[in-house]
């Protein structure tokens, strides 16, 4: 079973979101997603200063198996991206929740995260995929 962290929110499309103490939201993909993708070879991230909308495509992650869109769980302005992934996309495989984060958003409304799954809900969604 892949690691699912209790403090995070998840989308059914396997992105995770962490509400930071400063009110920003950090976004990445789950351990289950990186494991399913296999070796990540490229990550396309949104530009700093651009805006993203909840549920819309914000980037792409490519692996040796497939390319998958990255969806934002919140609307807002992109205030940071993980530049380290440009040279080391494999970081997503080794540390999906810490060093392998994708981008950080200044959300327009953090209540949008209320629609995301909690850890138990995400665990159930992942288990039903395998059924």
């Amino acid at each position: 079973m892949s690691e699912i962290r209790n403090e995070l929110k998840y989308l059914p499309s396997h992105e995770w979101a962490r509400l930071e103490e400063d009110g920003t939201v950090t976004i990445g993909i789950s351990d289950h997603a990186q494991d399913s993708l296999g070796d990540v070879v490229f990550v396309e991230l949104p530009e700093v200063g651009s805006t993203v909308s909840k549920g819309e495509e914000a980037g792409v992650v490519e692996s040796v198996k497939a390319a998958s869109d990255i969806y934002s769980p919140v609307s807002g302005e992109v205030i940071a991206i993980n530049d380290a992934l440009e040279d080391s996309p494999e970081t997503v495989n080794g540390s999906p929740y810490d060093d392998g984060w994708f981008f950080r958003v200044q959300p327009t409304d953090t209540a949008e995260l209320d629609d995301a799954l909690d850890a138990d809900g995400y665990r159930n969604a992942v288990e039903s995929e395998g059924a």
Side-chain angles (χ1 to χ4, degrees):
M1 184 65 171
S2 302
E3 178 184 7
I4 297 174
R5 294 191 176 177
N6 289 332
E7 72 274 20
L8 303 177
K9 294 290 224 168
Y10 298 88
L11 295 181
S13 51
H14 306 291
E15 291 82 1
W16 58 259
R18 179 176 50 233
L19 181 60
E20 307 290 351
E21 290 183 11
D22 64 1
T24 62
V25 176
T26 303
I27 297 155
I29 61 170
S30 71
D31 188 34
H32 173 76
Q34 69 78 23
D35 187 53
S36 297
L37 284 168
D39 295 335
V40 173
V41 296
F42 179 75
V43 179
E44 181 182 317
L45 299 173
E47 291 185 24
V48 172
S50 65
T51 57
V52 294
S53 297
K54 176 187 171 186
E56 292 189 2
E57 179 186 328
V60 176
V61 58
E62 293 183 22
S63 73
V64 293
K65 292 182 180 176
S68 296
D69 293 333
I70 303 165
Y71 298 97
S72 181
V74 294
S75 301
E77 179 182 352
V78 177
I79 59 169
I81 60 170
N82 188 351
D83 290 327
L85 298 181
E86 184 174 321
D87 293 329
S88 302
E90 68 277 7
T91 303
V92 175
N93 294 113
S95 182
Y97 296 118
D98 297 310
D99 297 333
W101 62 278
F102 287 166
F103 57 98
R104 188 165 295 143
V105 172
Q106 180 65 56
T108 53
D109 184 3
T110 57
E112 289 182 336
L113 288 175
D114 294 344
D115 296 334
L117 300 169
D118 62 12
D120 287 338
Y122 182 66
R123 190 171 292 110
N124 290 337
V126 168
E127 288 173 359
S128 67
E129 277 185 3

